Amino acid sequence: MSFSSNVKAELCRDPIQYKQSAAAEAYGILLFCNTFSPGLIRIITESRDLADRLPRLFKKAFALGFDTEPEEGESGKLLFEILDPQKIERIFSAFGVSSKEHVTLHVNYGILEEEEDRLCFFRGAFLAGGSVTDPAKRYHLELTTSHYKVCRETYALLMDTGFAPKEVQRSGNSILYFKQSDYIEDFLTAIGAPISAMGVMEAKVEKDLRNDVNRRVNCETANLDKAVDASMEQTAAIKNLQSRGLLDTLSPKLQQMAQLRLDNPEATLTELAEMLDPPLSKSAINHRLRKLVELSKS
């Protein structure tokens, strides 16, 4: 199963207890489903968990059943339909409109005044028109509807509830989306998927840890490369002084430093400093080696 499917499965485990919360969730489903019109209600889903939940949800919210339901055990795209005009009218009237009038779908804020009802509405919207990318790959959660006014009004409802989505139009649909992991975590937790939200958090921690390790490795590799280049330059300079017979003319301290570097070409400055008795500071070792390089160029 995809991460998005797992989220929907978790959401569908939330018990259906109250008629008002069931109606709010169903409202979100209807406004973000395939068809919600005076002549037809059609919900198509590939989520078996949502397919199992829908009949119970509509029974609780509206005291009615679907005219068309998928067969038990059926997979793929699962179809639910209501064609009975009386059933459709009952559903529309539950949201303050009549199916017998010209209907432009919009969000009725009056029935979503309580935050709990809003969160149920968002859960329904995600179940019908939502998706979320596997956080191990990237962070992206979106809600898609074909109704522009529904999108704009849901945006306002989300903002009023403390969320800050972005908007975009794509292929004739209106889309609200989040691309930041903390927003996705908060949204999933709020609508009833805390385990999935924890999965986003864990993916983020793992990514941050991996990036930190990569930065450290890259830094250490760069430092190692610099140390190797410096050692090669120092060794070449000392050999140059030897070939010109100049090494024996230098001070005992520089001669000692030159021999130490020749004997330990792979040693770091810190390691060279500790080899001397008494030990020197790293800066003193670096000063003597730079002096040898400068003398080789004169």
Side-chain angles (χ1 to χ4, degrees), residues 55-75:
R56 294 182 287 114
L57 186 71
F58 273 59
K59 186 71 173 178
K60 187 73 173 181
F62 313 114
L64 55 78
F66 289 93
D67 297 327
T68 303
E69 292 186 20
E71 297 291 335
E72 186 175 350
E74 186 178 342
S75 59

Side-chain angles (χ1 to χ4, degrees), residues 187-232:
F187 182 78
L188 291 179
T189 300
I191 66 174
I195 296 174
S196 298
M198 186 64 69
V200 177
M201 296 179 200
E202 291 173 352
K204 181 181 179 181
V205 170
E206 185 176 340
K207 281 183 182 180
D208 290 344
L209 180 60
R210 188 183 300 114
N211 290 337
D212 185 57
V213 169
N214 288 338
R215 281 193 296 269
R216 289 176 181 270
V217 170
N218 291 338
C219 182
E220 290 175 2
T221 300
N223 289 337
L224 181 60
D225 289 342
K226 290 179 181 178
V228 170
D229 291 343
S231 176
M232 292 177 62

Side-chain angles (χ1 to χ4, degrees), residues 129-176:
S131 64
V132 58
T133 304
D134 184 343
K137 299 177 181 177
R138 63 191 180 101
Y139 306 123
H140 186 88
L141 182 150
E142 65 180 42
L143 302 173
T144 303
T145 177
S146 58
H147 310 293
Y148 176 72
K149 287 188 176 181
V150 168
C151 180
R152 292 295 301 150
E153 291 161 354
T154 302
Y155 172 87
L157 202 60
L158 283 164
M159 292 290 289
D160 192 51
T161 313
F163 300 107
K166 302 290 185 181
E167 294 180 86
V168 69
Q169 299 291 313
R170 186 195 308 144
S171 302
N173 290 319
S174 299
I175 298 168
L176 300 171

Side-chain angles (χ1 to χ4, degrees), residues 19 23 27 61-62 88-97 108 111:
K19 180 178 180 180
Y27 197 24
F62 313 114
I88 294 175
E89 174 60 23
R90 188 187 306 175
I91 292 173
F92 270 88
S93 63
F95 303 126
V97 292
N108 184 347
I111 63 174

Side-chain angles (χ1 to χ4, degrees), residues 12 14 31 38 46 49 56 62 74-75 80 83 87 91 104 113 118-119 127 142 152 164 175 205 213-214 219 288-289:
C12 288
D14 195 58
L31 290 179
E46 293 185 5
D49 297 282
R56 294 182 287 114
F62 313 114
E74 186 178 342
S75 59
F80 291 83
L83 301 96
K87 291 182 179 180
I91 292 173
T104 299
E113 293 182 349
R118 294 181 185 184
L119 297 180
L127 285 171
E142 65 180 42
R152 292 295 301 150
I175 298 168
V205 170
V213 169
N214 288 338
C219 182
R288 293 184 185 184
L289 288 171

